[in-house]
Structure formats: C-alpha cells, structure tokens
Amino acid sequence: MNEYMMATYAVGNVIQDYDTDKLFPVLGFGARLPPDWHVSHEFAVNFNPNNPFCAGVDGIIQAYQQCITQVRLYGPTNIAPVIRHVIKFGEEAAKTNTANQYFVLLIISDGVITDMGDTMDAIVYASTLPVSIIIIGVGDADFKGMEFLDSDTGPLTAPSGKKAVRDIVQFVPFRKYALSSKASLAKEVLAEVPKQVTDYFKMHNLPPSIQKQDAQVKQ
C-alpha cells in the first residue's frame, strides 16, 4: 500500500461517517490520459466524467488502483482546477441558505504546486463558501508552497489583492506521520475542520438544521 492509499484510508475512514450516502467524487490531476494521452488536471479517476462518484473509501481505493495502471503521471502539479470543481458544489449549497451541506476537499500530491497564483485565487474565493481543503503532501518534495496556503498566521491574500474571509486550508506532510498510527494522521489533518464549519455557518447566521421525526407513542 503506497502513501496515497494510506493517507486516503486514514482520513477517509473518519470523514466518510459524516456523509449520508458515502458517495465521493474522486478527481485526478497531473496525468496523460488514454487514448490520445492528453495532459489533464481534472479528470474522473473512474473515467466516468458524468458520474465521478465512488462508494466509500474502498470504492475510492479500487478506482485509484485501476486508474494508476492506465494513465501516465505527468507534471506540472496544477490543483486549482479540482478546487474550482468543488467550488461549484459550494456555490449550489450556499444558495440554499441552510446549514445542511459542507464540503471537505482532500488533495493528496507528491509535487510542488505550479499554479500557485490560480490556486490562491480559488482558495480565497472558496473561503466565502461552505468548503474546507485538506492537503497531504506525500514523498520528499519541498512543500513550502503548500505550507504557505495553510495561512494560520494571517488571512491568505490572492494575487488580485483579495483576502480570504477565513482560514480553510490545512496542510500536513505525510512523512511527518509515516511511522505513526492512521489515527494520528487523521487527527492532525481534521483538527481545524470543526471550527471551519462552525465559523462559516456563524458568519452567515445559519443555525444547525434539526430533522424532525414523527413521534409514535405506544400505550
């Protein structure tokens, strides 16, 4: 099992319990795709662009294992397209003006981000939506750029000058937890998400939704 799979299991097995249908869209980036071997930075890992959803963590791993044998990994590492993909979900959820949906994007990459400007723009915009982003760096690359996106010391500022309205990115290098338990990695990468969720809904004055159920009294 490689680091991509270990990171997916560690985080996915925790976060999937907060999803009602446990169906997750899984996207790849930085690869040449058959049959013409064009470079793509946003493709369905199950090769079904109309339905990129996988069932549970096991479904994600299965799709990844099948995909990795059919594509050719290729730089550069552009992650803005997959962030914008999730932004579309966030935009639709924001229109409902309820506290029913929140989206967490998990990005696992072994490369240095090469579209930093576009990525910063996308993150700053995503900070206005019900979206959080977790980035796990695998391998021995220099992840200083990814650490910069995890703006714990102040709001992230895009090249346009716009500032993030809240911190939505958590970056963790996998090598730091390679010898630790899966629970340790999951705890670290998910540590900021609860506050990010509550901060968003408080910012928009959206109280938690309460599902009403019919009560049946037996005598």
Side-chain angles (χ1 to χ4, degrees):
M1 183 181 297
N2 63 27
E3 292 184 347
Y4 286 90
M5 296 166 66
M6 287 188 284
T8 299
Y9 269 121
V11 179
N13 279 329
V14 174
I15 208 165
Q16 72 172 347
D17 289 335
Y18 295 90
D19 188 274
T20 53
D21 60 14
K22 293 181 174 55
L23 294 175
F24 305 101
V26 184
L27 304 174
F29 56 91
R32 289 187 179 275
L33 307 184
D36 59 353
W37 304 110
H38 67 281
V39 178
S40 176
H41 298 290
E42 181 191 350
F43 63 92
V45 170
N46 64 2
F47 296 108
N48 185 352
N50 296 320
N51 184 19
F53 292 83
C54 297
V57 177
D58 288 337
I60 294 173
I61 295 298
Q62 182 179 9
Y64 166 78
Q65 289 177 314
Q66 294 175 350
C67 175
I68 201 67
T69 63
Q70 300 179 58
V71 303
R72 299 172 183 170
L73 300 182
Y74 191 86
T77 303
N78 295 344
I79 65 173
V82 296
I83 295 175
R84 292 197 178 99
H85 186 100
V86 176
I87 279 175
K88 295 176 184 177
F89 295 133
E91 288 175 330
E92 291 302 311
K95 292 176 183 177
T96 66
N97 204 35
T98 62
N100 288 332
Q101 290 182 299
Y102 194 94
F103 300 90
V104 178
L105 170 62
L106 172 62
I107 298 175
I108 305 174
S109 177
D110 64 356
V112 178
I113 297 174
T114 50
D115 63 339
M116 183 61 76
D118 287 343
T119 294
M120 292 169 66
D121 282 332
I123 291 173
V124 168
Y125 177 55
S127 72
T128 67
L129 301 169
V131 172
S132 286
I133 300 170
I134 296 170
I135 305 175
I136 298 180
V138 298
D140 298 319
D142 183 353
F143 294 121
K144 290 181 180 178
M146 293 184 181
E147 292 173 349
F148 172 76
L149 298 175
D150 187 352
S151 50
D152 291 332
T153 58
L156 181 69
T157 303
S160 63
K162 292 184 177 179
K163 295 182 181 294
V165 298
R166 59 194 182 92
D167 177 23
I168 65 169
V169 177
Q170 173 77 338
F171 169 75
V172 174
F174 183 85
R175 58 176 175 256
K176 182 179 178 181
Y177 296 90
L179 301 179
S180 302
S181 66
K182 293 179 181 178
S184 297
L185 174 63
K187 181 180 179 181
E188 176 68 16
V189 300
L190 296 172
E192 297 180 7
V193 172
K195 184 177 185 300
Q196 292 169 359
V197 174
T198 56
D199 282 352
Y200 174 81
F201 290 127
K202 285 181 180 179
M203 183 183 301
H204 294 274
N205 296 316
L206 297 174
S209 298
I210 300 176
Q211 294 182 346
K212 295 182 179 179
Q213 295 181 340
D214 293 333
Q216 188 176 39
V217 179
K218 294 182 180 181
Q219 303 208 354

